Amino acid sequence: MKRRAHITLDDIAKKVKVSRVTVSKALRGHPDISEKTSKLVRKVANDLGYSPNFIARNLSARRSNMLGVVVPKIAHFFFSSLIEAIYNAAFEKNYETILTVSQENAEREKKHIQTLVSMRVDGIIISVSQETEDIEIFKWIRKMGIPVVFVDRMPYPTLEGFSSVQVDDKGGASQVVEQAVKAGYRKIAMIGGNPRVNIGKNRQAGFEESLKRHQLPVKPEWMVHGGFGKEDGYRGFKQLCENGDRPEFVFAITYPVALGIYEAAKELGLRIPEDIDIICCGESDMISFLHPSLSCVSQNPQELGSSAVRTMLEIIEHPDEIPERHVVVPTQLILRETGIGRKR
Amino acid sequence: MKRRAHITLDDIAKKVKVSRVTVSKALRGHPDISEKTSKLVRKVANDLGYSPNFIARNLSARRSNMLGVVVPKIAHFFFSSLIEAIYNAAFEKNYETILTVSQENAEREKKHIQTLVSMRVDGIIISVSQETEDIEIFKWIRKMGIPVVFVDRMPYPTLEGFSSVQVDDKGGASQVVEQAVKAGYRKIAMIGGNPRVNIGKNRQAGFEESLKRHQLPVKPEWMVHGGFGKEDGYRGFKQLCENGDRPEFVFAITYPVALGIYEAAKELGLRIPEDIDIICCGESDMISFLHPSLSCVSQNPQELGSSAVRTMLEIIEHPDEIPERHVVVPTQLILRETGIGRKR
DNA sequence: TTGAAAGCGCTAACAA
DNA sequence: TTGTTAGCGCTTTCAA
């Protein structure tokens, strides 16, 4: 005879000589049950090494207390900080976080979303991949009755009726240009990501608006598109330097892009900040150890993460009151050794 | 009347005019069902927007296809790489990964483990927190019939009967000392973490053995203990310098510890590598951007992660054949601008 | 090749 | 305060 691997409510019930329901209630602290019975039940449960079966509980209760999360990458300071913040905020509210990673791949992202829906998570927090174009999947999630909150990256064009928590990218980009102008530069370029993704689009918009405000040229050669990775920065900067007219200052759309620029500049024998100055979007634990230490616009991933969870829980708890919610988290310019102007 | 939120097998069955069982089998590609029925069922399921309920499936099948993971931190290159590798390996084998983060807190770690057991994951891969001392919880997991694989960090003294996938820390530390000796140093120190955790213990052992082999002094003042973080490196290095006799070379037990040393050295006006040379354990995407770029012993987190998953799946699939398994992944010395000796 | 019956472990509604 | 009844949605026998 095979012994059952796990202790169940029935095992406890038999021992205490009450019904399964009484045990269930006692263990969950339901006010129905008398102090005396409760105590006894808890004691026996403990002695038996009982571990509640969440699978069964979830099936019966039709809620999982799980939040699904989809991010494009993990090994990247911004995302790992964001994830950590989400985990902490969810943990505090007694939610389990189910993390999935799309690896910037739309196909995989879709598959992960389907899995999360199949797991019947109570909500999905998602930061879309660079590739994501198909919008149908998000509408499908909603049709399945699961709330969605986009964090940081969301598909463009904007989806009507979906909540979001975003960085004030436009404001951040403006801050960079303002600083560059203040530092005395007039030839200002941007190595930017994909303008189809919202962060690309917004940072570019803030960049261009600010330049215009200062009546500075918005040269198309100084507006390099690409991805958000180190290679993209490397390639973008080399491309920028191939044209004869090299800018004095470059705004890197992300921190990895800035790393790529550092690398390319080193190879080309250009000194930072003397030959080419730079500020980027995105903080990192390492950024102050660069040589020269890199100034940046911080995106506040902690605040983004906790805000995303807060928003999600409000939607879950008030399903018909709050149909849509948008939060914008402000950025902060952090000056180090770059972007502060040359000594002339 | 409240409409049911999700389509179920019954809904499909009704539409196709077969039984629920037939639908279940058809959808899972069971050979019982005829091609014709299968096709029809799949079509209807698709039209209806059916999403299988994993909760119900898991409850019934008594396996979850989920792997639980417990790590101490996320926002740290080693762990984020390790996690990414685990996710990728598990995804390939059709397993979902449930990640939890202990934040180096034993209490929280224990709670996460209980949650994972309650979720009835098929196995738990764990890298223990710095604080972890209580061994009972791991025995309990096993008693619950869930296999455990320790990755990188495991509790010390070693647990009998538990599988592990570890870095060859001792060999790595030896590599560092060998290199330091080769570079001409004889006054060699170590800023090391907690020797109660296996990585601390093993790296220290490799360090000391190597020194002895070269008949170099193992001075207790040159053997600073502490944690594994940046602050610990900072504090440790300052402490090291307070004594009159400053070493020529310091082995940093982790990459963050090295960062702390860089910071402290900068404050103290000491140049690296001229005044104090350094090599650390642990790679990072950023390490080559330090000034000077930091040599290190890489721990190969990708290989560690995929190896942990491989080991776990072998145990899951052969529950009685393989009681225990130990994998050691070799390290690799990567030389950059430090640890290569001074020009004299 | 198909389906009826039984059950996974738990909870909600309603009675007692 | 406690227990009975009836599922949650699925899978696994085993019989038709």
CSV table of all heavy atoms in Angstrom, one decimal, chain A residues 140-159:
chain,number,residue,atom,x,y,z
A,140,TRP,N,-6.7,39.8,-25.0
A,140,TRP,CA,-7.1,38.4,-24.6
A,140,TRP,C,-7.0,38.2,-23.1
A,140,TRP,O,-7.9,37.7,-22.5
A,140,TRP,CB,-6.3,37.4,-25.4
A,140,TRP,CG,-6.6,36.0,-25.0
A,140,TRP,CD1,-7.7,35.2,-25.3
A,140,TRP,CD2,-5.7,35.1,-24.2
A,140,TRP,NE1,-7.6,34.0,-24.8
A,140,TRP,CE2,-6.4,33.9,-24.0
A,140,TRP,CE3,-4.5,35.2,-23.5
A,140,TRP,CZ2,-5.9,32.8,-23.3
A,140,TRP,CZ3,-4.0,34.2,-22.8
A,140,TRP,CH2,-4.7,33.0,-22.7
A,141,ILE,N,-5.9,38.7,-22.5
A,141,ILE,CA,-5.7,38.6,-21.1
A,141,ILE,C,-6.9,39.2,-20.4
A,141,ILE,O,-7.4,38.7,-19.5
A,141,ILE,CB,-4.4,39.3,-20.6
A,141,ILE,CG1,-3.2,38.8,-21.3
A,141,ILE,CG2,-4.2,39.0,-19.1
A,141,ILE,CD1,-1.9,39.6,-20.9
A,142,ARG,N,-7.2,40.4,-20.9
A,142,ARG,CA,-8.3,41.1,-20.2
A,142,ARG,C,-9.6,40.4,-20.4
A,142,ARG,O,-10.4,40.3,-19.4
A,142,ARG,CB,-8.4,42.5,-20.8
A,142,ARG,CG,-9.1,43.4,-19.8
A,142,ARG,CD,-9.1,44.8,-20.3
A,142,ARG,NE,-9.1,45.0,-21.7
A,142,ARG,CZ,-9.0,46.1,-22.3
A,142,ARG,NH1,-8.8,47.2,-21.7
A,142,ARG,NH2,-9.0,46.1,-23.6
A,143,LYS,N,-9.8,39.8,-21.5
A,143,LYS,CA,-11.0,39.1,-21.8
A,143,LYS,C,-11.1,37.9,-20.8
A,143,LYS,O,-12.2,37.5,-20.4
A,143,LYS,CB,-11.0,38.6,-23.2
A,143,LYS,CG,-12.4,38.5,-23.8
A,143,LYS,CD,-12.4,37.9,-25.2
A,143,LYS,CE,-12.3,36.4,-25.2
A,143,LYS,NZ,-12.0,35.8,-26.5
A,144,MET,N,-9.9,37.4,-20.4
A,144,MET,CA,-9.9,36.3,-19.5
A,144,MET,C,-10.2,36.7,-18.1
A,144,MET,O,-10.1,36.0,-17.1
A,144,MET,CB,-8.6,35.5,-19.5
A,144,MET,CG,-8.2,34.9,-20.9
A,144,MET,SD,-9.5,33.7,-21.4
A,144,MET,CE,-9.0,32.3,-20.5
A,145,GLY,N,-10.4,38.0,-17.9
A,145,GLY,CA,-10.7,38.6,-16.6
A,145,GLY,C,-9.5,38.8,-15.7
A,145,GLY,O,-9.7,38.9,-14.5
A,146,ILE,N,-8.4,38.9,-16.3
A,146,ILE,CA,-7.2,39.1,-15.5
A,146,ILE,C,-6.6,40.5,-15.8
A,146,ILE,O,-6.3,40.9,-16.9
A,146,ILE,CB,-6.1,38.1,-15.8
A,146,ILE,CG1,-6.6,36.7,-15.5
A,146,ILE,CG2,-4.8,38.4,-15.1
A,146,ILE,CD1,-5.6,35.6,-15.9
A,147,PRO,N,-6.5,41.3,-14.7
A,147,PRO,CA,-6.0,42.7,-14.9
A,147,PRO,C,-4.6,42.8,-15.3
A,147,PRO,O,-3.8,41.9,-14.9
A,147,PRO,CB,-6.2,43.4,-13.5
A,147,PRO,CG,-6.5,42.3,-12.6
A,147,PRO,CD,-7.0,41.1,-13.3
A,148,VAL,N,-4.3,43.8,-16.1
A,148,VAL,CA,-2.9,44.0,-16.6
A,148,VAL,C,-2.4,45.3,-16.2
A,148,VAL,O,-3.1,46.3,-16.3
A,148,VAL,CB,-2.9,43.9,-18.2
A,148,VAL,CG1,-1.5,44.2,-18.7
A,148,VAL,CG2,-3.4,42.5,-18.7
A,149,VAL,N,-1.2,45.4,-15.8
A,149,VAL,CA,-0.5,46.7,-15.6
A,149,VAL,C,0.8,46.7,-16.3
A,149,VAL,O,1.6,45.8,-16.1
A,149,VAL,CB,-0.3,46.9,-14.1
A,149,VAL,CG1,0.6,48.2,-13.9
A,149,VAL,CG2,-1.6,47.1,-13.3
A,150,PHE,N,1.0,47.6,-17.2
A,150,PHE,CA,2.3,47.8,-17.9
A,150,PHE,C,3.2,48.6,-17.0
A,150,PHE,O,2.8,49.6,-16.4
A,150,PHE,CB,2.1,48.5,-19.2
A,150,PHE,CG,1.4,47.6,-20.2
A,150,PHE,CD1,0.1,47.8,-20.6
A,150,PHE,CD2,2.1,46.6,-20.9
A,150,PHE,CE1,-0.6,47.0,-21.5
A,150,PHE,CE2,1.5,45.8,-21.8
A,150,PHE,CZ,0.1,46.0,-22.1
A,151,VAL,N,4.4,48.1,-16.9
A,151,VAL,CA,5.4,48.9,-16.2
A,151,VAL,C,6.6,49.2,-17.1
A,151,VAL,O,7.1,48.4,-17.8
A,151,VAL,CB,5.8,48.1,-14.9
A,151,VAL,CG1,6.5,46.8,-15.2
A,151,VAL,CG2,6.8,49.0,-14.0
A,152,ASP,N,7.0,50.5,-17.0
A,152,ASP,CA,8.1,51.0,-17.8
A,152,ASP,C,7.8,50.9,-19.3
A,152,ASP,O,7.4,51.8,-19.9
A,152,ASP,CB,9.4,50.3,-17.5
A,152,ASP,CG,10.6,51.0,-18.2
A,152,ASP,OD1,10.7,52.2,-18.2
A,152,ASP,OD2,11.4,50.3,-18.8
A,153,ARG,N,8.1,49.7,-19.9
A,153,ARG,CA,7.9,49.6,-21.3
A,153,ARG,C,6.5,49.1,-21.6
A,153,ARG,O,6.0,48.1,-21.1
A,153,ARG,CB,8.8,48.5,-21.9
A,153,ARG,CG,10.3,48.9,-21.8
A,153,ARG,CD,11.0,48.1,-22.8
A,153,ARG,NE,12.3,47.8,-22.5
A,153,ARG,CZ,13.0,46.8,-23.0
A,153,ARG,NH1,12.4,45.9,-23.8
A,153,ARG,NH2,14.2,46.5,-22.7
A,154,MET,N,5.8,49.8,-22.5
A,154,MET,CA,4.5,49.3,-23.0
A,154,MET,C,4.4,49.5,-24.5
A,154,MET,O,5.2,50.2,-25.1
A,154,MET,CB,3.3,50.0,-22.3
A,154,MET,CG,3.2,51.5,-22.4
A,154,MET,SD,1.9,52.2,-21.5
A,154,MET,CE,0.5,51.4,-22.2
A,155,PRO,N,3.5,48.7,-25.1
A,155,PRO,CA,3.5,48.7,-26.6
A,155,PRO,C,3.1,50.1,-27.1
A,155,PRO,O,2.3,50.8,-26.4
A,155,PRO,CB,2.5,47.7,-26.9
A,155,PRO,CG,2.0,47.1,-25.7
A,155,PRO,CD,2.5,47.9,-24.5
A,156,TYR,N,3.6,50.5,-28.2
A,156,TYR,CA,3.2,51.7,-28.8
A,156,TYR,C,2.6,51.4,-30.2
A,156,TYR,O,3.2,50.5,-30.8
A,156,TYR,CB,4.4,52.6,-28.9
A,156,TYR,CG,4.1,53.9,-29.7
A,156,TYR,CD1,3.4,54.9,-29.1
A,156,TYR,CD2,4.6,54.0,-31.0
A,156,TYR,CE1,3.1,56.0,-29.8
A,156,TYR,CE2,4.3,55.2,-31.7
A,156,TYR,CZ,3.5,56.2,-31.1
A,156,TYR,OH,3.3,57.3,-31.8
A,157,PRO,N,1.5,51.9,-30.6
A,157,PRO,CA,0.7,52.9,-30.0
A,157,PRO,C,0.0,52.5,-28.7
A,157,PRO,O,-0.3,51.3,-28.6
A,157,PRO,CB,-0.3,53.3,-31.1
A,157,PRO,CG,-0.4,52.0,-31.9
A,157,PRO,CD,0.9,51.4,-31.9
A,158,THR,N,-0.1,53.4,-27.9
A,158,THR,CA,-0.7,53.2,-26.5
A,158,THR,C,-2.0,52.4,-26.6
A,158,THR,O,-2.8,52.6,-27.5
A,158,THR,CB,-0.9,54.5,-25.8
A,158,THR,OG1,0.3,55.2,-25.9
A,158,THR,CG2,-1.2,54.2,-24.3
A,159,LEU,N,-2.1,51.5,-25.7
A,159,LEU,CA,-3.3,50.7,-25.6
A,159,LEU,C,-4.4,51.4,-24.8
A,159,LEU,O,-4.2,51.7,-23.6
A,159,LEU,CB,-3.0,49.3,-25.0
A,159,LEU,CG,-2.3,48.4,-25.8
A,159,LEU,CD1,-1.9,47.1,-25.0
A,159,LEU,CD2,-3.1,48.0,-27.0
